[in-house]
Amino acid sequence: MNRNNNSDSRTTGRVVTTLAFLATFVFFQFAYPYHLIRREQMNLFLFDWDYIRQTYSGIGWLARFVTDFLEQFFHLPLAGPLTVSVLLTAICICTFRIGRCLVSEKLSSVVAMLVFFWSFMRETGNLYMTQYTVAVLLYLLIVLFILHFRNAMLLYMSLLPAILLGVWAIGSPVDSKYGKLWSLPSLEYERIIGLDAEVARENWDKVLELSEKDLYMVEASYCYNLAQAMKGNLGNRLFNHSQNADATLLLRIAPGQTVFTNCLAGEAWYQLGEMTVAEQSAIISLQASPKHTGTRYLVRLAKVNLITGQYAAANKYLNILSGTLFYRKWAISQMPENRETDIESGSPENRPELVKKDYVHHSYEMRTVLLGILEADPSNEIARNYLLCHDLLRYDLETFMEDYSHDMIDAHIYHEAVLIWLSQHDRLTEQNAEEFGISLKDIDRMNHFFPNSARYRDTYWNYYMNALMEEEP
């Protein structure tokens, strides 16, 4: 009878453990896929003995080594969720086996599931570190090893060495750097870091797919605007998404910003061809990241220096990346002596003219930097669109008219802005409109806008009118 009960309880335990594993995997693979990718971007593990010896020394070396080794695999689609699922399930099993040595099997099962659930929720935290999950598991393994001593004297004698070994190899079991004691998943934040990840991959269709539901967040609109600009649709689709003046067009880079915002801010400047600000973004992000390193920042710094012809600096970053598992092939192929061509299709490298002025400027001087880009390369349509949209989002129609010419870019929001300007200067006639390539149909649309503005929410008229209404006392 007891044997049957034990068999049933073991079967139940295996089923519950398997379900916990599968639930964790499904969650991180399908509902939270970008959460772990971001950790890999801020991680660096080199297959180099000198690097390993210098980096993984001192207290907590083993936990840091195991964590960094595992996190590099988060680069792969299935590996991240699979790794986290294994770690959390192992914590559950170890907790159960430890509990079974101290209390009843039923109570140990309850405690094991509670610890698993707590570990799972912590794992969903925005700033949570995999190192703590690894540390918890290693400490549990040490406790489980000690409890296997049948002799009480051996058990007590092993406590102090085990504690010292744990502190030396694993580090403190409690540390604020690991993250909050309790977290809840944030699907909105997951979408934001998803947008960031797809922008870094230059997967513009996926960025627009993730932007389909407006989050009304500056970073989300920024990613949407960049994707539309890269697809050549910014002038027609700008107001299909929420905008917050020029803050949603180009993010500012500053030491006081979060690592996430500073890193994301550099993406638009990189695509615009402004390598100075793109490099500034990567350097600040690298210095401020939790581990003061990260493959994403190193890849960006390598690309920027290759584009600007700073091959010695580029080789420095490429040599580092050549020691990684997943960036090695790319890094070696990009070394100047190994490159077949200097220009890669679809990247800023295909723009022969970059800003040559040798002075330091920053992302707060948006208009100045955009004008500098266009001075160096007047054919840069992405920069031209950004300049025009920058004027419009700041409600600066006079400056917009100085920058605009109808033979540059044909887009409906630019036509709408011109019609407002013509109306303000009492020049709204069919003849004057035709000079800017605006048809009578556009004038009719404007006339229909005022009695029924709700139908025209994706127009510059609506954006401009709302600003005027906010200014009224």
Side-chain angles (χ1 to χ4, degrees), residues 43-73 83 87 129-132 134-135 138 168-171 177-178 291:
N43 181 57
L44 179 69
F45 185 87
L46 301 182
F47 288 84
D48 178 84
W49 171 246
D50 289 333
Y51 171 84
I52 292 173
R53 181 171 52 82
Q54 294 173 14
T55 304
Y56 305 106
S57 60
I59 293 175
W61 64 272
L62 180 60
R64 287 185 281 111
F65 176 84
V66 173
T67 299
D68 290 351
F69 178 79
L70 292 176
E71 281 187 344
Q72 69 180 320
F73 293 97
T83 301
L87 289 174
M129 296 177 68
T130 313
Q131 184 179 337
Y132 187 68
V134 171
L138 291 175
W168 172 64
I170 305 171
K177 71 180 181 181
Y178 292 141
K291 300 178 183 178

Side-chain angles (χ1 to χ4, degrees), residues 168-452:
W168 172 64
I170 305 171
S172 172
V174 179
D175 197 315
S176 59
K177 71 180 181 181
Y178 292 141
K180 297 179 180 179
L181 288 174
W182 179 260
S183 297
L184 291 172
S186 172
L187 295 180
E188 280 196 358
Y189 185 78
E190 169 66 13
R191 280 183 59 197
I192 288 292
I193 60 175
L195 287 166
D196 171 61
E198 298 300 348
V199 163
R201 295 169 175 172
E202 301 183 9
N203 189 353
W204 309 120
D205 289 329
K206 186 64 176 179
V207 172
L208 294 177
E209 181 185 327
L210 290 171
S211 302
E212 191 172 340
K213 183 181 178 182
D214 199 335
L215 292 176
Y216 299 96
M217 296 176 67
V218 169
E219 291 83 1
S221 296
Y222 166 89
C223 294
Y224 168 86
N225 291 338
L226 179 55
Q228 292 292 6
M230 296 306 297
K231 294 183 73 67
N233 296 326
L234 186 61
N236 286 311
R237 305 283 179 83
L238 180 66
F239 296 108
N240 287 27
H241 211 273
S242 61
Q243 304 295 336
N244 182 13
D246 61 340
T248 51
L249 197 63
L250 291 164
L251 299 176
R252 289 163 174 78
I253 301 166
Q257 299 265 50
T258 64
V259 177
F260 174 79
T261 301
N262 277 330
C263 179
L264 184 58
E267 297 294 339
W269 292 114
Y270 177 76
Q271 297 300 338
L272 285 163
E274 177 37 70
M275 297 299 118
T276 302
V277 183
E279 184 176 37
Q280 179 191 24
S281 162
I283 291 173
I284 290 177
S285 300
L286 186 70
Q287 293 172 340
S289 64
K291 300 178 183 178
H292 309 296
T293 187
T295 52
R296 176 173 175 177
Y297 316 128
L298 294 171
V299 167
R300 176 48 45 86
L301 288 168
K303 287 182 176 180
V304 164
N305 283 285
L306 284 171
I307 293 170
T308 56
Q310 303 296 320
Y311 297 124
N315 266 344
K316 178 178 69 174
Y317 300 116
L318 292 171
N319 282 329
I320 294 173
L321 291 165
S322 67
T324 64
L325 181 62
F326 296 108
Y327 296 90
R328 174 181 171 80
K329 185 177 180 181
W330 175 84
I332 293 174
S333 70
Q334 293 301 304
M335 290 179 178
E337 62 271 21
N338 296 332
R339 301 188 89 198
E340 296 180 1
T341 61
D342 292 331
I343 296 174
E344 290 184 359
S345 175
S347 79
E349 293 179 73
N350 64 6
R351 302 187 191 119
E353 299 298 331
L354 296 173
V355 178
K356 303 296 184 183
K357 292 183 179 179
D358 187 19
Y359 61 87
V360 177
H361 51 250
H362 52 75
S363 57
Y364 284 84
E365 302 168 348
M366 294 181 183
R367 178 173 168 76
T368 303
V369 180
L370 289 169
L371 287 171
I373 296 171
L374 288 167
E375 183 182 348
D377 182 9
S379 66
N380 188 333
E381 276 207 17
I382 301 172
R384 180 73 61 187
N385 269 303
Y386 263 81
L387 178 64
L388 296 174
C389 290
H390 176 264
D391 295 338
L392 294 183
L393 289 171
R394 292 171 63 87
Y395 318 106
D396 192 348
L397 290 177
E398 297 301 325
T399 304
F400 168 79
M401 293 304 294
E402 292 175 11
D403 297 331
Y404 178 70
S405 175
H406 75 276
D407 57 352
M408 294 178 182
I409 301 172
D410 185 26
H412 78 78
I413 69 166
Y414 303 150
H415 291 175
E416 291 159 5
V418 171
L419 288 173
I420 295 175
W421 182 84
L422 289 172
S423 178
Q424 289 176 342
H425 291 77
D426 296 324
R427 292 176 54 190
L428 184 54
T429 65
E430 185 176 343
Q431 182 179 358
N432 287 335
E434 285 180 357
E435 292 180 7
F436 292 96
I438 300 173
S439 65
L440 184 61
K441 182 180 178 181
D442 291 322
I443 299 175
D444 289 338
R445 283 179 65 243
M446 184 176 181
N447 292 330
H448 285 96
F449 164 76
F450 292 101
N452 193 5

